[in-house]
Amino acid sequence: MSQFSASVRTLAVVGAFVAQSAVAHTTIQAQATEGTTTYNNVVIGHGCTVNGVSIPVIAQSVLFPTVNPIVTVSGAVSETITENPLSIESFANIAQLIQNRNVFSKQAEKKNAAGQVIGFANTEGSLDPSLHGLVPFRTAGVTFKSNSCAKQLLIKVAIADICTPNGAANLWIPSVTTKYSNPNIDGIGSPATLTINRDLTKNPLPSSCGAGYTITLTPSPADIDANLGIPGYLP
């Protein structure tokens, strides 16, 4: 699967990705339908808690899986997929930041060496810890190949809500990494999810597919360690 093929596993149930807690997570507001440009928001659920006191989010880092993402497949499949079922080879440059200074007064897109957008760096903000915050972005249309059995794409997005420079932060990432190794930090194990659904009316599954399958793209630990940080805010 080209750049998606770093690690492909077939799963009966992706349980770790559906766990919810009573505390509001940082999430992606809306699902998208294939082939459409979608205007969306990163929803900040709460600030950080330090010594029992809630403090504001002052910066945010958002990272989409582009460098050796982990690919998992769940649903009606009996073996690992061998071909890329999507119209794209990488998720780089699919997401674009929308200027909005309601939460952060300084915004920038994170880019790779090829100049493609891989995430966002928002700083110089202050979100009341008792309120939710919206950070708008858009995604370009992604389509499923007509001969594939993929019905849904779940894109796990690594997000850091930063409350003190190089200090308190909520890390909405899939798991601990070499750099972010404290498992007790709020958010670890609960990344945000951008869902893209196949348009089953315009692009129905082939009759041989049965119920089809879901693909999950998760940022690799190396990608998170290399690209989640913001100088002066998150190492």
Side-chain angles (χ1 to χ4, degrees):
M1 288 182 61
S2 187
Q3 294 184 39
F4 288 161
S5 61
S7 176
V8 182
R9 293 168 290 181
T10 301
L11 304 178
V13 178
V14 191
F17 295 137
V18 297
Q20 299 291 328
S21 72
V23 178
H25 291 359
T26 287
T27 59
I28 304 298
Q29 182 176 1
Q31 298 187 13
T33 300
E34 71 162 317
T36 63
T37 297
T38 301
Y39 291 86
N40 217 327
N41 288 284
V42 176
V43 183
I44 305 173
H46 58 80
C48 305
T49 301
V50 178
N51 297 324
V53 177
S54 295
I55 60 176
V57 173
I58 62 170
Q60 183 183 69
S61 177
V62 178
L63 182 67
F64 293 90
T66 61
V67 180
N68 297 323
I70 299 167
V71 183
T72 52
V73 179
S74 62
V77 290
S78 59
E79 59 184 19
T80 299
I81 56 176
T82 58
E83 295 183 359
N84 182 0
L86 305 175
S87 64
I88 58 173
E89 298 298 328
S90 168
F91 205 76
N93 230 32
I94 297 299
Q96 306 285 333
L97 189 60
I98 297 173
Q99 181 173 308
N100 183 289
R101 294 175 177 168
N102 287 338
V103 179
F104 305 106
S105 61
K106 187 175 181 179
Q107 299 175 284
E109 293 180 330
K110 291 174 177 278
K111 296 183 179 181
N112 60 19
Q116 299 170 312
V117 177
I118 60 173
F120 318 130
N122 303 308
T123 59
E124 298 183 10
S126 182
L127 176 65
D128 186 318
S130 67
L131 301 178
H132 289 73
L134 300 179
V135 180
F137 70 99
R138 54 161 278 180
T139 51
V142 174
T143 58
F144 297 87
K145 292 179 180 177
S146 60
N147 63 348
S148 81
C149 294
K151 64 178 180 180
Q152 190 176 61
L153 173 64
L154 304 181
I155 300 163
K156 299 299 171 178
V157 184
I159 300 174
D161 292 331
I162 304 157
C163 299
T164 61
N166 297 316
N170 298 323
L171 300 179
W172 307 101
I173 61 178
S175 63
V176 295
T177 67
T178 299
K179 182 179 288 186
Y180 309 110
S181 59
N182 183 352
N184 298 317
I185 293 176
D186 192 19
I188 292 182
S190 300
T193 302
L194 172 61
T195 300
I196 300 177
N197 297 303
R198 185 170 180 148
D199 187 333
L200 294 175
T201 300
K202 295 180 180 179
N203 186 17
L205 292 172
S207 58
S208 60
C209 291
Y213 59 77
T214 294
I215 307 167
T216 300
L217 297 184
T218 302
S220 64
D223 191 5
I224 291 172
D225 281 350
N227 296 307
L228 187 64
I230 302 175
Y233 286 92
L234 183 71

